[in-house]
Amino acid sequence: MKSLKTLVIAAALSLGAVGAGHAQAPATPAEAPVATAPANPAPAAADAATTAAAPAGDATYVPMKPTPGVGQPVDAGIDFQPQVSPVGEQAYWFNHVILLPVITIITLLVLGLLLWVVFRYRAKANPVPSKTTHNTFIEIIWTAIPVLILAVIAVPSIRLLAQQYEPPSKEALTIKVTGYQWYWGYAYPDQGIGEYVSKILPKDKAEAAGEPYHLAVDNRMVVPVGRQVKLIITGADVIHSFAVPAFWTKMDAVPGRANETTFTANKVGVYYGQCSELCGVDHGYMPIAVEVLPVDKWEAWVRSKGGNPAGVEAAPAAAAPAPAADAPAAAPAAAPAATTTEAAPAAAPAAAPATKN
Ligand SMILES: [Cu+2]
């Protein structure tokens, strides 16, 4: 009986150490290796089917209305936004299936044991306290158990981390993102779309468009559903951060540096984000809106911007001196009348390797 108590106390202490020291970590071994992407690739397929019906080139671009509760915050919400990218789904699963249950179990167990100790071993009930100091068995246990728990959690955790930094595929759509005080600039060098500027919509216009104020913008980033997007992100003045919660995407926009990140949106819709690095007085007024469209509608959008959805031929995708060379070649060839072709990719450093920070 005594040794059983010892064991329970040791376990509690070791779990307490895990809970306190590594609030980020915990895990249940049982479920760890399952389901990498528990979500829904289905909508993408459905969309593909719908778009296949429409003859290519027929569609025209009409800005889409957002879906309430999707891609934007909800009142009194405490959960992550519904995830629409494979990495986001994986992270969502990791949090909800592994981290939260483990954190909850450890917290409740430690709380229960504390209460038990407080009442059972208070001075009145336990007038002659034990004078035990070292106990090798307990010490081994309270070291080994946290180590085991962390080792188990490390597996899905590191897998998720690696997934986020996987290099983009060759078919990825490249978008150059530049953070300015206080708006965003987007350019599609391979489609010959020079940089255009994306600014917050004033309240009346946002409401008129049925969009949330502080998140709605005049010119969205528009991407095709199901296709990987490679973002090359930089800052023009100070450090900004490009973040879209529904894609599990966040990357700093640092002047003089080209950071790279990727996402694949599996669901048509409008997804909002915000600059997530304090960048000056209007930091809270440079929202991000990403519109995910079926491929034919995305192509229509590209054409409406004076670009070529199939890609500008003069620009070999993987060429080493790439983006800087693309722009001059692209602009005259594909978009002589492009209204928004300006400075853009000239400053783009050749596709930099992902910087991990
Ligand atoms: Cu900013």
Side-chain angles (χ1 to χ4, degrees), residues 201-211 213 216 218:
L201 272 190
K203 194 168 186 192
D204 52 334
K205 284 193 183 170
E207 281 167 1
E211 290 193 76
Y213 175 51
D218 52 1

Side-chain angles (χ1 to χ4, degrees), residues 180 182 184 239-241 275 277 279 283 286:
Y180 296 93
W182 288 276
W184 293 95
I239 301 177
H240 304 267
S241 182
C275 177
E277 179 68 63
C279 60
H283 162 65
M286 49 182 297

Side-chain angles (χ1 to χ4, degrees), residues 24-25 90 94 98-99 150 152-164:
Q24 283 205 316
Q90 166 91 8
F94 183 45
I98 300 203
L99 295 186
L150 290 179
V152 169
I153 292 172
V155 175
S157 176
I158 291 172
R159 190 176 54 198
L160 176 63
L161 192 65
Q163 213 180 327
Q164 291 180 68

Side-chain angles (χ1 to χ4, degrees), residues 101-187:
V102 171
I103 291 168
T104 309
I105 290 168
I106 291 177
T107 307
L108 291 179
L109 181 67
V110 172
L111 177 68
L113 287 167
L114 270 176
L115 290 175
W116 174 60
V117 167
V118 165
F119 288 109
R120 171 66 186 82
Y121 296 100
R122 66 192 194 276
K124 218 180 195 178
N126 189 40
V128 189
S130 156
K131 292 193 176 154
T132 307
T133 53
H134 289 293
N135 184 318
T136 312
F137 179 66
I138 293 181
E139 284 159 16
I140 288 174
I141 296 276
W142 80 38
T143 307
I145 291 183
V147 168
L148 278 178
I149 293 176
L150 290 179
V152 169
I153 292 172
V155 175
S157 176
I158 291 172
R159 190 176 54 198
L160 176 63
L161 192 65
Q163 213 180 327
Q164 291 180 68
Y165 287 107
E166 241 165 50
S169 72
K170 277 191 173 160
E171 290 75 38
L173 167 68
T174 301
I175 304 178
K176 192 195 164 210
V177 175
T178 308
Y180 296 93
Q181 282 175 316
W182 288 276
Y183 53 90
W184 293 95
Y186 304 130

